[in-house]
Amino acid sequence: MAGVQAADYAGPLFDAHLHYNEEAWDGQAGPHPPADVLRRMQASGVRAIVANSRPNAGSLTLAALPQTRAAGVAVVPFVRLYRNRADYTGWFADESIYDMVLAELARGTAAGPYRGIGEFHLYDSANADGPVAKKLMALAEQRGLVVLAHVDDAAIDRLMAHTPTGGQKARLIWAHTGIGGAPVERVDALLARYPGLVGELSYRPGLVCDDGQLCPAWRALLLKYPARFVVGSDTWVNQRWQHYESLMQGYRQWLGGLPAGVARQIAWDNAAGLFGVAPPARSP
């Protein structure tokens, strides 16, 4: 007899990796104005977001709009390190980036203070030892900021080494939990080593099998560390906005295959707890 398909997860989602970049909306024009992206979030049951955008104006827009609050979406703003695409490849040694981060932190947002730094990319893990990378990791731990980092597993160790506690008090969301495909065993070891390391699961190779459910090794890892994973859309290009609802539905499908309490942790509680976001009221 065929197995019974689990019902999809039906609770709130916290999108812990969202960009509102200038290609989507530059403040005046674009294919995805605020009303469009908020409608997509509402339709997907997304009730909170980590907003990090190139430039930071996109996150500031979402944080300030009364329509965001009316849509029932809480905004957790991060300082993105990128003013433009050129900053992707040299931020780790660019003192002007550090100055920009300090200025943004001092300014804050309409949704309150910035809660983190990133997303940033390191295409060569050795650049985790760049002077600005070192300073930002120390700053983040000292100020209680969460880091969102798109890096490989070697860079996780390097970045954590630059914090005052050697990574023991640092809080870092690992974008994609290793987009290059770090083995499950290596991910497990890093989660055990760093108590504040959290895996974000967009684009993660080998996560989901052909039936739309978690592959066995990843299911086992999520059950071992149910408090250490979050989900995100990674709307880095407009195509991701065009398919936003289906991306979120994909999460709901495999979350439904987990025990209900674990599904709720990964979908909402872990990110909400990290940032102190209250449980959502009924949908507006």
Side-chain angles (χ1 to χ4, degrees), residues 7-21:
D8 293 346
Y9 169 77
L13 291 174
F14 195 127
D15 186 343
H17 185 165
L18 182 141
H19 306 294
Y20 196 34
N21 292 337

Side-chain angles (χ1 to χ4, degrees), residues 46-122:
V46 170
R47 303 303 303 276
I49 60 172
V50 166
N52 69 110
S53 309
R54 173 184 41 78
N56 285 299
S59 299
L60 294 171
T61 293
L62 290 177
L65 283 174
Q67 293 95 318
T68 306
R69 293 184 289 278
V73 176
V75 176
V76 176
F78 274 36
V79 182
R80 192 88 190 268
L81 306 189
Y82 307 147
R83 300 157 295 192
N84 51 54
R85 288 190 178 277
D87 288 335
Y88 280 59
T89 55
W91 66 268
F92 46 83
D94 186 341
E95 290 291 340
S96 72
I97 296 288
Y98 187 74
D99 293 340
M100 181 268 286
V101 170
L102 292 179
E104 285 290 338
L105 291 173
R107 176 167 69 158
T109 81
Y114 283 104
R115 306 299 303 280
I117 296 171
E119 181 198 19
F120 61 70
H121 299 71
L122 289 171

Side-chain angles (χ1 to χ4, degrees), residues 119-204:
E119 181 198 19
F120 61 70
H121 299 71
L122 289 171
Y123 302 112
D124 180 346
S125 57
N127 290 327
D129 297 330
V132 172
K134 290 181 177 181
K135 289 168 66 173
L136 286 174
M137 288 303 299
L139 178 74
E141 187 178 283
Q142 289 161 354
R143 296 201 182 186
L145 300 168
V146 179
V147 173
L148 177 59
H150 174 133
V151 299
D152 66 12
D153 56 299
I156 293 291
D157 282 322
R158 288 174 180 258
L159 290 170
M160 291 298 201
H162 302 317
T163 68
T165 65
Q168 291 308 293
K169 292 186 178 179
R171 298 185 299 167
L172 189 151
I173 298 174
W174 188 6
H176 322 301
T177 317
I179 200 167
V184 169
E185 296 78 10
R186 173 67 168 150
V187 176
D188 188 334
L190 289 170
L191 289 169
R193 184 176 303 159
Y194 303 115
L197 181 64
V198 173
E200 184 271 319
L201 295 169
S202 65
Y203 281 111
R204 169 60 221 197

Side-chain angles (χ1 to χ4, degrees), residues 237-251:
V237 290
N238 288 343
Q239 185 182 31
R240 299 286 284 185
W241 279 118
Q242 293 159 15
H243 298 287
Y244 189 87
E245 294 91 333
S246 63
L247 291 171
M248 294 297 109
Q249 179 55 34
Y251 283 128

